[in-house]
Amino acid sequence: MVVVNSQVTEEEFIEAQKNWELEKLYVDLASVKRKALTPVEKKLLRGLLCGCSPAEIANKVYQSRSSSTVRVYLSNGLYKYIEDMLGSQLGHSVKVKNWSHVTHLLEKAGYKKNWFDLKSITTFIKSTREQETELLKVKSPNIQDWGEAVDVSGFSGRMKELTTASKWILQQRCRLVVLLGMGGIGKTAFSIKLAEEIQDQFEYVIWRSLHLCPSIDVMLNNLVQILSPTLQIDQTATLNTKISQLINCLRKVRCLLVLDNVDSILSSNDGDETQVQSSVAASKPDLVSQIQYRPGYEGYGELIRRIGDSQHQSCLLLASREKPPEIAVIEGEKLPVRSLKLTGLSKTESLAILKTKGLAELEYTECTVLIDWYAGNPLFLKLVATTIQDLFGGSVCQFLEHGTLVFGEIHRSLEQQFNRLSELEKYIMYWLVLNPDCTSVMTLKTNLISGWPVRLGQRLILETIELLQRRSLLDIEAADLSLSRMWRDYLIERLMEKDFQSWTEF
């Protein structure tokens, strides 16, 4: 617990006395508390009256990003005193939902200067009892467990996407939201920033990464312990029972649960192009590897499906390169399950990244070319900006003249994603690169049937195109197909480096 000097305390948020009857409020709250408010309680009250959130109070007073101490003080003290005081004055129970309702209730109770008398307020409140019943009391202090979440204090941009996701979760009460995008596009940072933006609307915020592939049992036990510390966990219980326990917790409290790197528990092809010849020769019927879970992690699929299907007041936010297989069935524009695809940053947002990396503003035109090359991928722009500084003396022009887009960590990232593909998915990616005039689903279907060594039906072609889109590798808009310049260069380089004769007939 942070100890604050009382003299300093009295100077903080003192501007609240300009608009509020502070002394009267101190006395009335002390009456229900049965002893005087502490300097810290007075300070927090003034902060609320100034319109500051718990996070803003913590940042201003304690210079801390964590607001847990402030929230505990409020939930265990001031909120209860305010409820008791107003309930005694009005003759019926009053509930505080969260910090933003404190000024609303106290203003209507006559504690704001130049406001109407208590009698008129009482009449008004009694006539709107239905609205008051919607102010649900916070059942427990707000608890935040950020796990290994990174610092996103430098996050900027993505305002449209943040607004959309916030609206889905807060206004339209979506139970499950999936953030999709290729590697490096910024899903992790976006998920943390979004959670920070809307954290005050939840009693619990839990952020977890699946990068190290924790088992479903370990994950469920951890989540239930956080949401219901007094619940005895039966280690011998079935998976369905444990999922039911978690969903029951999600019904009792409003929780924002974030699972990042979901693609880590999804299976990959991890194959080699040389496997194509043997598969073709054997006329292998199953050329498409559907997105599925790694052995032993199928329980996550059941968890995702049941959270999406079940009624509760919480929200599960997933971040993944690939769309989990359960999502396609339960998602929809009018349903409580949605998918949001993150694409490259805008030119303005991308230029801001390059400027923070120290690239010369005089090369504006060259920088815009660089942004187009990497399709606004924030991670790749940061990596290439470092290379330009280290190897090209900060000259974007010299780097562009060199003409090499894919190298180092960028190459490894694309390689990792490409190796997850099935044989037919790789074939289509190569074919699109070598046939740039093919820009629609219909022309792809017509030409692929004659080009692939094994006869392809429409089902296989559509399934493969859909898979590439779900893996965030292929952009499809109004049946038009497109590959980024970066992917084209990577695939051409692969063809040049390997003596891969099976593709020379393209």
Side-chain angles (χ1 to χ4, degrees):
M1 190 66 67
V2 180
V3 179
V4 182
N5 183 281
S6 61
Q7 293 182 346
V8 176
T9 298
E10 290 303 320
E11 295 177 357
E12 292 166 338
F13 306 112
I14 199 64
E15 60 269 22
Q17 67 183 2
K18 297 179 181 179
N19 299 315
W20 296 89
E21 300 288 354
L22 274 182
E23 294 305 321
K24 176 175 173 54
L25 193 51
Y26 289 158
V27 172
D28 290 349
L29 288 173
S31 177
V32 297
K33 182 184 177 183
R34 298 189 177 181
K35 61 180 178 180
L37 297 182
T38 66
V40 173
E41 289 173 334
K42 290 181 179 180
K43 172 201 64 175
L44 297 182
L45 176 61
R46 290 197 302 273
L48 293 175
L49 295 179
C50 288
C52 296
S53 69
E56 291 170 329
I57 294 173
N59 183 58
K60 182 173 182 179
V61 178
Y62 306 133
Q63 290 78 49
S64 171
R65 292 179 66 233
S66 173
S67 58
S68 57
T69 299
V70 174
R71 294 178 188 279
V72 170
Y73 255 120
L74 293 174
S75 298
N76 292 342
L78 279 175
Y79 289 166
K80 294 179 180 179
Y81 307 152
I82 292 171
E83 290 171 352
D84 292 344
M85 179 187 72
L86 296 181
S88 176
Q89 293 175 359
L90 301 175
H92 59 78
S93 63
V94 175
K95 305 298 181 183
V96 175
K97 181 180 179 182
N98 58 36
W99 67 271
S100 63
H101 292 102
V102 171
T103 54
H104 172 77
L105 292 172
L106 293 179
E107 186 176 26
K108 290 188 177 298
Y111 287 98
K112 193 167 186 179
K113 292 181 179 180
N114 301 321
W115 196 245
F116 6 103
D117 57 70
L118 182 60
K119 183 177 179 180
S120 62
I121 288 299
T122 303
T123 303
F124 172 78
I125 292 181
K126 286 183 178 180
S127 67
T128 57
R129 292 291 296 274
E130 290 186 1
Q131 294 181 4
E132 288 192 355
T133 57
E134 295 178 359
L135 300 178
L136 302 176
K137 182 179 179 182
V138 174
K139 298 179 177 60
S140 60
N142 289 56
I143 295 177
Q144 300 174 14
D145 188 333
W146 293 95
E148 298 180 354
V150 299
D151 181 13
V152 294
S153 56
F155 185 96
S156 63
R158 298 272 191 211
M159 292 308 300
K160 181 179 179 181
E161 294 93 332
L162 285 170
T163 300
T164 297
S166 298
K167 181 179 179 180
W168 287 354
I169 296 172
L170 299 181
Q171 298 180 24
Q172 300 179 11
R173 293 283 178 158
C174 284
R175 299 189 290 259
L176 176 57
V177 174
V178 186
L179 302 176
L180 296 170
M182 70 170 293
I185 209 66
K187 300 180 294 299
T188 296
F190 184 90
S191 71
I192 299 171
K193 181 63 175 179
L194 175 61
E196 289 184 347
E197 290 285 326
I198 63 178
Q199 60 183 327
D200 288 330
Q201 303 301 315
F202 292 87
E203 299 170 55
Y204 290 80
V205 176
I206 305 174
W207 192 96
R208 290 288 183 269
S209 172
L210 301 185
H211 176 66
L212 297 179
C213 304
S215 69
I216 184 64
D217 283 335
V218 169
M219 180 61 68
L220 289 172
N221 290 343
N222 178 249
L223 296 177
V224 171
Q225 284 179 343
I226 295 174
L227 297 175
S228 184
T230 60
L231 181 65
Q232 294 293 326
I233 298 178
D234 182 4
Q235 300 294 341
T236 64
T238 64
L239 175 65
N240 283 330
T241 298
K242 291 182 178 182
I243 294 177
S244 296
Q245 288 178 335
L246 176 60
I247 292 178
N248 189 45
C249 292
L250 299 180
R251 289 181 176 135
K252 292 180 179 179
V253 300
R254 183 146 166 77
C255 171
L256 176 62
L257 172 59
V258 184
L259 297 181
D260 188 31
N261 291 307
V262 175
D263 47 279
S264 296
I265 61 172
L266 299 176
S267 65
S268 61
N269 183 56
D270 290 328
D272 186 282
E273 288 99 333
T274 56
Q275 296 174 344
V276 175
Q277 294 293 340
S278 60
S279 297
V280 171
S283 298
K284 182 179 177 181
D286 186 14
L287 296 171
V288 181
S289 298
Q290 297 294 332
I291 297 175
Q292 55 189 343
Y293 293 90
R294 293 171 54 183
Y297 292 90
E298 297 85 355
Y300 277 97
E302 181 65 13
L303 172 65
I304 292 171
R305 183 192 65 79
R306 289 185 59 183
I307 288 181
D309 282 339
S310 302
Q311 288 281 358
H312 55 80
Q313 61 173 328
S314 299
C315 179
L316 171 60
L317 180 66
L318 304 176
S320 177
R321 295 179 182 179
E322 303 174 353
K323 183 183 292 187
E326 297 78 19
I327 301 302
V329 177
I330 58 179
E331 71 175 332
E333 293 183 3
K334 304 294 184 181
L335 298 176
V337 178
R338 312 277 175 85
S339 293
L340 178 63
K341 185 174 182 180
L342 297 183
T343 55
L345 298 175
S346 67
K347 276 189 170 57
T348 300
E349 295 165 350
S350 299
L351 282 170
I353 290 178
L354 297 179
K355 288 179 181 178
T356 60
K357 298 290 284 188
L359 295 186
E361 296 185 23
L362 295 177
E363 294 184 292
Y364 174 83
T365 302
E366 289 79 4
C367 284
T368 58
V369 173
L370 193 69
I371 292 167
D372 289 337
W373 275 16
Y374 292 100
N377 187 299
L379 175 62
F380 294 171
L381 287 174
K382 292 175 183 177
L383 291 172
V384 76
T386 299
T387 299
I388 291 173
Q389 289 284 21
D390 292 345
L391 303 183
F392 296 90
S395 172
V396 178
C397 184
Q398 289 185 28
F399 173 78
L400 295 178
E401 290 177 356
H402 190 271
T404 303
L405 274 73
V406 181
F407 58 91
E409 289 298 325
I410 298 175
H411 182 276
R412 281 186 282 275
S413 177
L414 298 183
E415 184 88 355
Q416 182 186 56
Q417 295 175 73
F418 187 76
N419 283 340
R420 294 176 68 90
L421 305 183
S422 65
E423 298 156 7
L424 187 51
E425 288 173 290
K426 292 177 180 178
Y427 171 81
I428 289 181
M429 293 280 282
Y430 280 123
W431 198 92
L432 286 172
V433 168
L434 298 177
N435 295 270
D437 294 335
C438 177
T439 58
S440 73
V441 174
M442 293 305 297
T443 56
L444 176 65
K445 183 186 73 171
T446 302
N447 288 280
L448 274 176
I449 290 178
S450 60
W452 179 250
V454 175
R455 180 176 176 79
L456 298 176
Q458 294 185 20
R459 176 186 64 82
L460 275 178
I461 296 173
L462 291 177
E463 283 183 4
T464 306
I465 296 173
E466 185 178 42
L467 273 173
L468 289 172
Q469 185 184 35
R470 290 183 180 180
R471 296 187 196 273
S472 306
L473 299 182
L474 186 63
D475 293 326
I476 303 178
E477 186 173 352
D480 289 336
L481 308 173
S482 63
L483 274 177
S484 67
R485 165 78 184 273
M486 178 176 53
W487 271 111
R488 290 182 180 277
D489 279 40
Y490 165 77
L491 293 171
I492 289 174
E493 181 184 349
R494 284 182 66 97
L495 290 173
M496 293 174 62
E497 289 181 350
K498 296 179 180 292
D499 182 21
F500 199 27
Q501 296 181 355
S502 60
W503 305 111
T504 58
E505 298 178 359
F506 289 8

